[in-house]
Amino acid sequence: NGFRNGQDLASSGISGSPSLTTLAAETSDVGQYPIVSAIGTLSSANYDFAFAEGKLTIGKATITVTAEDKSRIYGDANPVFIATYNGFKNGQQLSQSGVEGRADFSTDADSLSDIGYYDIQIAKGSLNAKNYVFAFKKGALHILPASVEVAADDQSKTYGDPNPELTYTFSGFKHGQSVASGAATGLPAISALAGDTSQVGDYDITVAPGNLMAK
């Protein structure tokens, strides 16, 4: 600024370039740093030079905070949710970044929720950092089926008699549920290798899914 006679830089006869320096580096914290101008190689027959500082503003970088995907069995409590962090600068890791606090997690799933996928929502919570702002990405909680054991009950009979009624027992239902409460429908297939003419001894009673179904 300050040319005379309608001149601009190209027509002023000024040659060379100024020296421009700042104390800021790639690893400098967020803030404002002076940009110092000096004569450098500037030269002119008709002009002297005065110098004014500029400012270099370093803004916060963005870290993406992602809720890790988790899984659990139906009827169990939700697991502990954790986050992963991406986007650190200058080769930093979380422990070196100045990030403090922890994110908040939430999900609509509880121990009574049906099997399936549920969002794990993530929010800032108490996270704070001098040089970073945060972006958040939700995860997924996968609820898997619980296992119910169907065990054939042991039976006995006298040689030559017909087989007794074959029965079975369920175990492993969650939250006090049962077949009677609708936790499962249908019947297992149950059979014994022994018949009326089978010799004295032990014989397996086999139980299979039959038409058993459960949500």
Side-chain angles (χ1 to χ4, degrees), residues 147-153 167-173 179 184 187-190 205-209 212:
S147 293
V148 173
E149 182 180 83
V150 186
D153 297 326
T167 59
Y168 45 86
T169 302
F170 291 93
S171 61
F173 287 114
V179 173
L187 298 171
I190 188 166
I205 301 172
T206 303
V207 63
L212 275 177

Side-chain angles (χ1 to χ4, degrees), residues 28-114:
S28 297
D29 289 335
V30 165
Q32 287 190 329
Y33 297 80
I35 303 171
V36 178
S37 59
I39 194 165
T41 61
L42 285 174
S43 177
S44 174
N46 296 320
Y47 293 97
D48 289 327
F49 302 97
F51 299 92
E53 288 184 352
K55 291 185 182 295
L56 173 63
T57 301
I58 300 179
K60 292 188 176 187
T62 299
I63 293 173
T64 300
V65 187
T66 304
E68 285 193 3
D69 294 340
K70 292 287 185 178
S71 64
R72 67 165 173 84
I73 301 299
Y74 168 75
D76 291 351
N78 287 336
V80 174
F81 298 130
I82 59 176
T84 57
Y85 298 78
N86 292 284
F88 293 114
K89 301 289 187 174
N90 303 315
Q92 293 175 340
Q93 298 177 353
L94 179 60
S95 61
Q96 305 159 330
S97 66
V99 173
E100 299 176 339
R102 68 184 304 276
D104 280 346
F105 301 91
S106 61
T107 182
D108 290 336
D110 58 27
S111 62
L112 292 171
S113 297
D114 293 335

Side-chain angles (χ1 to χ4, degrees), residues 126-146:
S126 60
L127 285 175
N128 185 53
K130 180 177 182 180
N131 293 321
Y132 295 97
V133 293
F134 304 97
F136 298 95
K137 185 177 179 181
K138 67 184 178 182
L141 173 64
H142 187 194
I143 300 180
L144 303 166

Side-chain angles (χ1 to χ4, degrees), residues 190-209:
I190 188 166
S191 60
L193 295 177
D196 293 356
T197 60
S198 298
Q199 300 294 314
V200 169
D202 291 327
Y203 296 83
D204 285 341
I205 301 172
T206 303
V207 63

